[in-house]
């Protein structure tokens, strides 16, 4: 009886140990939005082979731009449920207003980028940013498909 109890106790201890180590392997910590923005800015600066001073200015400006975009909040949802014309009009106006705010921010930061980047560099920044956003979007869609 004692040997059965010992074996059972040993099996429970091994199960507990294995489950806790397995859970630790999968729990990778996600980056915060600020960390992600800084990492994106550093990637863009590296891809464009910016010098140190330009790189520092770009990273700080890019992070400020991202913070202002986040401050606007998420995009208004596209609900396709049965709505009245007045509700649909209100939703469209909210989406236009949000898009206009984003456009205003892009213009503001375009002026800031123009102070230390050439026009071709700014265009390349926008292209690299768009590629990263597309990559992150498709990665998130793949994760959703597996769930």
């Amino acid at each position: 009886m004692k040997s059965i109890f010992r074996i059972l106790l040993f099996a429970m201890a091994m199960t507990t140990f294995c489950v806790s180590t397995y859970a630790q392997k999968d729990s990778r910590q996600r980056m915060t939005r600020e960390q992600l923005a800084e990492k994106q800015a550093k990637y863009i600066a590296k891809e464009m082979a910016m010098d140190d001073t330009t790189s520092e200015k770009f990273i700080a400006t890019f992070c400020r731009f991202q913070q202002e975009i986040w401050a606007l909040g998420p995009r208004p949802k596209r609900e396709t449920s049965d709505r009245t014309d007045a509700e649909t009009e209100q939703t469209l106006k909210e989406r236009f207003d949000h898009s206009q705010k984003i456009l205003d921010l892009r213009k503001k930061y375009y002026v800031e980028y123009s102070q230390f980047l050439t026009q071709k560099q700014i265009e390349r920044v926008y292209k690299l940013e768009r590629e990263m956003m597309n990559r992150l979007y498709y990665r998130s869609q793949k994760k959703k498909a597996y769930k």
Side-chain angles (χ1 to χ4, degrees):
M1 186 70 179
K2 284 185 178 181
S3 63
I4 293 174
F5 182 70
R6 286 182 189 161
I7 292 172
L8 184 61
L9 186 62
F10 178 73
M12 287 175 46
M14 289 302 293
T15 303
T16 304
F17 176 74
C18 292
V19 169
S20 65
T21 57
Y22 179 73
Q24 289 175 0
K25 289 179 185 176
D26 286 343
S27 62
R28 287 186 280 167
Q29 190 174 7
R30 290 181 61 178
M31 283 191 280
T32 63
R33 290 194 291 189
E34 291 79 10
Q35 291 170 330
L36 179 62
E38 187 172 344
K39 192 166 188 156
Q40 288 175 325
K42 287 179 180 178
Y43 171 80
I44 292 171
K46 182 182 172 196
E47 284 293 308
M48 295 182 56
M50 292 181 187
D51 60 28
D52 290 341
T53 56
T54 306
S55 178
E56 288 175 20
K57 288 179 188 176
F58 174 74
I59 292 169
T61 306
F62 185 86
C63 290
R64 279 196 321 273
F65 172 65
Q66 291 298 318
Q67 288 174 345
E68 288 192 40
I69 290 287
W70 299 327
L72 293 178
R75 283 186 232 167
K77 300 284 184 193
R78 292 184 180 190
E79 297 176 20
T80 56
S81 62
D82 296 330
R83 293 181 291 182
T84 65
D85 282 345
E87 292 171 334
T88 303
E89 180 183 12
Q90 180 65 30
T91 302
L92 288 172
K93 285 182 179 180
E94 288 172 3
R95 285 180 28 208
F96 290 145
D97 193 37
H98 192 265
S99 296
Q100 186 62 48
K101 289 176 184 176
I102 292 173
L103 182 60
D104 293 342
L105 282 176
R106 287 179 60 92
K107 286 179 181 179
K108 173 185 170 184
Y109 281 93
Y110 165 76
V111 171
E112 287 194 35
Y113 289 146
S114 295
Q115 294 173 2
F116 57 90
L117 296 174
T118 66
Q119 298 303 303
K120 287 186 179 184
Q121 286 176 319
I122 295 171
E123 184 177 39
R124 178 94 169 112
V125 164
Y126 289 152
K127 182 180 178 209
L128 289 170
E129 182 184 9
R130 175 59 37 213
E131 287 172 1
M132 280 190 299
M133 295 309 289
N134 286 339
R135 200 173 324 133
L136 290 172
Y137 173 76
Y138 289 122
R139 187 180 296 170
S140 73
Q141 294 305 305
K142 283 183 183 179
K143 285 183 182 179
K144 286 181 183 177
Y146 289 123
K147 288 184 179 180

